[in-house]
Amino acid sequence: PTDASNTVSVYGRIKTQTTLLQPKGQDGVADVLDVLFSYGTTTLDRLAFQKALNDIAAQETAGTDFEVQVPEEHFARAVQLLADNELHPALPVKYFPVVQNQEAHWLTGLLQSPGYLFHRATIQALVPTGDPTLREPTPKNVMSLMLADVRAYYQRAFRPDLTTIVVIGKVSPAEAKSVIEKYFGSWRAKGPKPDTDLPPVPLSKPGPRTVVPDNTS
């Protein structure tokens, strides 16, 4: 609890490791899902959901890192909307191809950028061949995805037993607990908990390094 301002902030994080959870050939499915969260819920479409947030002056984001900031008098409503977005995302068929194409075009530029190439070269120098962190999404991977793949990934990765929620602001611990339980309490995990810990990495050795071209000009 803190009364430094009239605001309450809710922060949630789902422990995940996309390089372990994305099926072979589906690298990029997590990124597509992340964008689709902004298209509303199963009860409120994109515009209606945004209006509901605007009506209570709330700022909200859903995904593996989810959060909402809102004036304290609208705390319960904000958590209700956050939970609706996090637990019941619309993942609409209509907008899936739009997001899919946007992600593929974005990756086309990213994979050629000096910043990405430098990061890639660094990872390759630090981890052994075949390490999960060397997996990377490509435009081809993304364009081959089906909406069913996105929904399946959501079911596999988004689980309450991997989630931590923190509430900060002008609200008592008792009220925070009650509201969070009211709107997130029905969330249930299905199946065994997935592995989210990367394998140990052996000590790296000296070796040649990749020359990264500066192709920004």
Side-chain angles (χ1 to χ4, degrees):
T2 174
D3 57 4
S5 73
N6 194 40
T7 302
V8 180
S9 299
V10 179
Y11 300 99
R13 169 165 290 184
I14 300 172
K15 184 183 179 185
T16 188
Q17 185 56 250
T18 57
T19 56
L20 295 177
L21 298 182
Q22 294 178 133
K24 185 177 180 180
Q26 293 184 19
D27 295 282
V29 67
D31 297 322
V32 173
L33 172 61
D34 193 53
V35 177
L36 283 172
F37 273 105
S38 66
Y39 284 83
T41 74
T42 55
T43 56
L44 295 170
D45 65 24
R46 187 177 193 176
L47 294 179
F49 186 76
Q50 189 57 55
K51 181 181 185 303
L53 290 172
N54 292 342
D55 288 345
I56 58 173
Q59 296 291 327
E60 184 265 1
T61 304
T64 51
D65 289 301
F66 56 97
E67 62 184 73
V68 68
Q69 290 83 40
V70 69
E72 57 92 14
E73 64 267 25
H74 299 302
F75 169 58
R77 175 59 171 159
V79 172
Q80 181 183 24
L81 291 170
L82 177 64
D84 193 27
N85 198 188
E86 191 72 10
L87 307 187
H88 310 289
L91 308 182
V93 174
K94 178 180 178 181
Y95 294 107
F96 173 65
V98 176
V99 172
Q100 191 177 31
N101 276 282
Q102 289 175 342
E103 184 67 20
H105 284 300
W106 178 77
L107 280 171
T108 299
L110 175 71
L111 297 180
Q112 301 176 54
S113 67
Y116 178 83
L117 293 173
F118 174 77
H119 174 74
R120 180 78 177 168
T122 302
I123 296 298
Q124 289 173 328
L126 293 174
V127 302
T129 301
D131 190 84
T133 57
L134 294 176
R135 294 180 61 176
E136 63 178 348
T138 66
K140 183 179 179 180
N141 287 148
V142 169
M143 291 307 298
S144 68
L145 291 172
M146 306 293 289
L147 185 55
D149 300 326
V150 178
R151 289 173 171 162
Y153 180 83
Y154 170 81
Q155 293 296 330
R156 184 164 53 251
F158 283 66
R159 302 168 56 100
D161 53 353
L162 293 173
T163 302
T164 301
I165 297 177
V166 176
V167 182
I168 304 170
K170 196 172 181 181
V171 61
S172 70
E175 181 185 1
K177 183 174 185 292
S178 175
V179 170
I180 294 297
E181 286 182 342
K182 179 177 180 180
Y183 294 111
F184 282 92
S186 63
W187 195 8
R188 296 288 183 268
K190 296 181 181 179
K193 185 186 295 186
D195 185 10
T196 56
D197 294 320
L198 291 167
V201 176
L203 294 176
S204 55
K205 300 176 182 179
R209 296 296 179 259
T210 302
V211 175
V212 177
D214 180 1
N215 57 3
T216 57
S217 59

